[in-house]
C-alpha cells in the first residue's frame, strides 16, 4: 500500500489506452495537504508514460471547475483533479485523486472500471524520479524523456476561469449595479479553493471593497474548522 498514489496514477493513465502516448493533460487540486507532493508525482509518472504536455496550475492549484474549463478550452485528453470534494483536508484528514475525461466531466463508469481493473493487476509503475519541474513558478518547461518531448506549462490558476465567467455574465453591468446601489457583498471562502477566484472576480473585476472577501488564503487543512464545508470554487 506504500505506492497507492503511484499505482492509482499509473492505472488511470493506462486506462487511456492508445490515447496515452502523446496525450495532453490538465493537473490541479484544491489546495489541501499532499497536493504539491501528488502534483510532482503526476508530472514524473506522466513523463515516463510518454505524455506530451501537462497544463499545471501554479503550485499545483486549480479549482475543480477551472480544471474542467481548461480541459474543454484546450481540447486535452483529460485531467487529474486533486481533491476529496467537501471532505476535510489536512495531514490526518482526506485526500482524493480523480480523473476527468475530454469533455471536462468526471470519468464515466466505463473509464473508471478500466482504472479499477488495472489496479487489480498492476505490478509496476513508470516514473522519472530525477525529473525536476518548478511548478511553483509560472512558465513553460521543456524536457526530453528517452527521445519523447514533454512540455509542462505552469499557468495562473484563475485567468482562464475568470475569462469563462466574463463570457457568461455581464461583469460591466454587475460592477455598475454594485457601485450605483452601494451593494454589499460578503464572500467567505473558508480557506478553500474559492479564495483566489473570489479575490480575482469580486475585488479586481467587480471593484468590491476588500472587506467583501474573507478567509481567501487557501490552507492545507482549510483552516481546520470542524464541521465547515469546503467549497469548490
Amino acid at each position: 500500500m506504500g505506492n497507492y498514489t503511484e499505482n492509482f496514477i499509473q492505472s488511470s493513465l493506462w486506462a487511456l489506452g492508445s490515447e496515452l502516448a502523446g496525450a495532453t493533460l490538465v493537473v490541479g487540486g484544491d489546495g489541501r495537504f499532499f497536493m504539491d507532493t501528488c502534483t510532482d508525482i503526476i508530472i514524473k509518472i506522466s513523463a515516463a508514460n510518454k505524455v506530451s504536455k501537462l497544463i499545471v496550475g501554479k503550485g499545483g492549484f486549480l479549482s475543480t471547475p477551472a480544471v474542467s474549463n481548461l480541459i474543454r478550452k484546450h481540447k486535452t485528453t483529460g485531467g487529474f483533479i486533486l481533491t476529496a470534494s467537501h471532505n476535510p483536508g489536512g495531514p490526518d484528514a482526506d485526500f482524493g485523486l480523480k480523473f476527468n475525461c475530454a469533455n471536462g466531466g468526471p470519468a464515466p463508469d466505463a473509464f473508471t472500471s478500466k482504472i479499477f481493473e488495472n489496479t487489480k493487476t498492476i505490478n509496476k509503475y513508470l516514473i522519472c524520479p530525477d525529473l525536476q519541474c518548478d511548478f511553483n513558478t509560472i512558465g513553460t518547461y521543456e524536457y526530453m524523456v528517452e527521445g519523447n518531448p514533454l512540455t509542462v506549462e505552469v499557468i495562473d490558476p484563475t485567468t482562464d476561469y475568470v475569462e469563462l465567467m466574463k463570457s457568461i455574465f455581464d461583469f460591466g453591468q454587475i460592477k455598475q449595479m454594485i457601485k450605483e446601489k452601494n451593494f454589499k457583498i460578503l464572500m467567505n471562502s473558508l480557506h478553500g479553493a474559492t479564495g483566489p477566484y473570489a479575490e480575482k472576480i469580486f475585488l479586481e473585476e467587480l471593484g468590491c471593497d476588500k472587506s467583501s472577501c474573507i478567509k481567501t488564503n487557501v490552507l492545507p487543512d482549510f483552516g481546520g474548522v470542524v464541521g465547515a464545508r469546503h467549497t469548490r470554487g
Side-chain angles (χ1 to χ4, degrees):
M1 294 298 291
N3 297 322
Y4 181 90
T5 301
E6 291 85 349
N7 289 342
F8 184 83
I9 294 166
Q10 183 66 69
S11 296
S12 299
L13 292 176
W14 278 338
L16 289 171
S18 61
E19 295 183 84
L20 175 54
T24 297
L25 301 173
V26 179
V27 181
D30 60 11
R32 69 181 61 234
F33 181 83
F34 194 66
M35 179 190 72
D36 52 352
T37 301
C38 188
T39 299
D40 185 56
I41 295 171
I42 290 172
I43 293 171
K44 291 176 177 178
I45 291 181
S46 295
N49 280 273
K50 301 181 181 179
V51 170
S52 66
K53 184 174 182 179
L54 295 171
I55 301 172
V56 183
K58 180 182 178 183
F61 176 79
L62 283 168
S63 73
T64 297
V67 172
S68 295
N69 175 53
L70 287 164
I71 291 172
R72 295 192 300 269
K73 179 177 180 178
H74 296 286
K75 296 179 173 58
T76 73
T77 316
F80 284 102
I81 303 178
L82 289 57
T83 178
S85 298
H86 297 283
N87 291 20
D92 300 314
D94 299 325
F95 184 81
L97 186 56
K98 305 176 182 181
F99 192 88
N100 277 21
C101 291
N103 66 354
D109 290 346
F111 190 88
T112 57
S113 293
K114 291 179 182 178
I115 297 175
F116 177 58
E117 291 302 318
N118 289 336
T119 65
K120 293 194 293 184
T121 59
I122 187 171
N123 58 14
K124 67 177 180 180
Y125 60 86
L126 309 179
I127 191 168
C128 295
D130 298 326
L131 187 147
Q132 300 296 320
C133 180
D134 179 14
F135 56 88
N136 289 302
T137 302
I138 292 174
T140 301
Y141 304 88
E142 305 281 354
Y143 304 90
M144 189 63 68
V145 182
E146 296 183 345
N148 300 296
L150 169 67
T151 300
V152 180
E153 183 180 355
V154 181
I155 64 169
D156 181 290
T158 64
T159 300
D160 294 277
Y161 185 73
V162 172
E163 286 180 3
L164 174 65
M165 292 298 100
K166 292 174 76 171
S167 73
I168 299 172
F169 302 101
D170 190 330
F171 275 38
Q173 285 196 359
I174 297 172
K175 185 175 183 177
Q176 183 178 352
M177 183 275 292
I178 291 172
K179 182 177 181 181
E180 291 180 353
K181 296 184 179 296
N182 193 28
F183 193 81
K184 300 298 182 182
I185 294 173
L186 179 60
M187 177 70 180
N188 185 347
S189 296
L190 297 173
H191 301 297
T194 57
Y197 300 90
E199 287 189 346
K200 193 74 174 180
I201 292 172
F202 290 103
L203 303 186
E204 294 185 30
E205 295 289 342
L206 299 179
C208 294
D209 186 81
K210 189 174 182 180
S211 62
S212 299
C213 296
I214 63 174
K215 298 183 180 180
T216 54
N217 57 314
V218 182
L219 298 176
D221 63 350
F222 308 126
V225 180
V226 177
R229 279 191 172 272
H230 163 53
T231 52
R232 283 195 174 186

